[in-house]
Amino acid sequence: MKYFIVTVYAEGKSYDHKEIGHATFEIGHVLGAPGNVRGCKLNTGGNCYAAVEKLAPGDKGTLSFKIRGIKLPNVERNIFSKSDPFFKVCRKEADGTWSDAFYSHVVKEDLSPVWKKARIGVGALCWGDPKRPINI
């Protein structure tokens, strides 16, 4: 079973980036859903939708996907503002540690963000090894 984990963060000013929540998607379920789009509940509440594109035969150069959040939890301490969510993609290094490979843009004060389609080169993402784990 191949899957990916989407973790959504709130951009922090007075604190490190705070996790809003995460969801796990099985790639086969997303590809089998209408329009290759599938929703999943975040562990902390709210929903996240992921869309993936099937690659053309022989194309192993780019991962392309789109992510959307719905009713994400607000992790801001100020009742007059909302979280500024973003997501990042991490790759697993040879020593077992995780390093950042991609950051999305920040969507200011929006608990139902829609991020632009992300495209990441397979070389930057997993060193060209399709079996190497990633974390989105």
Side-chain angles (χ1 to χ4, degrees):
M1 172 172 46
K2 296 191 181 207
Y3 64 92
F4 60 95
I5 299 169
V6 175
T7 305
V8 180
Y9 298 88
E11 182 182 46
K13 295 174 181 68
S14 61
Y15 55 86
D16 289 333
H17 301 312
K18 189 170 187 177
E19 182 178 321
I20 293 175
H22 63 269
T24 302
F25 291 88
E26 186 177 336
I27 292 173
H29 287 164
V30 178
L31 286 172
N36 295 342
V37 177
R38 186 161 179 104
C40 189
K41 291 202 178 289
L42 292 175
N43 65 315
T44 55
N47 295 304
C48 183
Y49 286 80
V52 295
E53 295 177 1
K54 201 167 195 173
L55 293 175
D59 182 2
K60 295 181 182 176
T62 305
L63 171 68
S64 178
F65 61 95
K66 187 169 183 175
I67 295 178
R68 171 184 183 189
I70 296 180
K71 297 181 182 177
L72 300 176
N74 189 8
V75 296
E76 287 292 325
R77 293 186 178 107
N78 181 342
I79 62 171
F80 299 109
S81 63
K82 297 177 185 168
S83 299
D84 299 330
F86 70 96
F87 69 89
K88 64 181 179 178
V89 178
C90 300
R91 67 175 166 250
K92 196 165 196 175
E93 302 293 348
D95 65 1
T97 61
W98 292 91
S99 66
D100 300 339
F102 175 85
Y103 278 89
S104 74
H105 67 282
V106 174
V107 180
K108 296 287 188 182
E109 296 199 18
D110 190 344
L111 299 179
S112 292
V114 177
W115 287 279
K116 296 175 187 171
K117 183 184 290 186
R119 295 183 186 273
I120 306 166
V122 172
L125 182 62
C126 61
W127 309 115
D129 177 1
K131 295 183 180 181
R132 187 179 292 250
I134 62 170
N135 187 349
I136 302 176

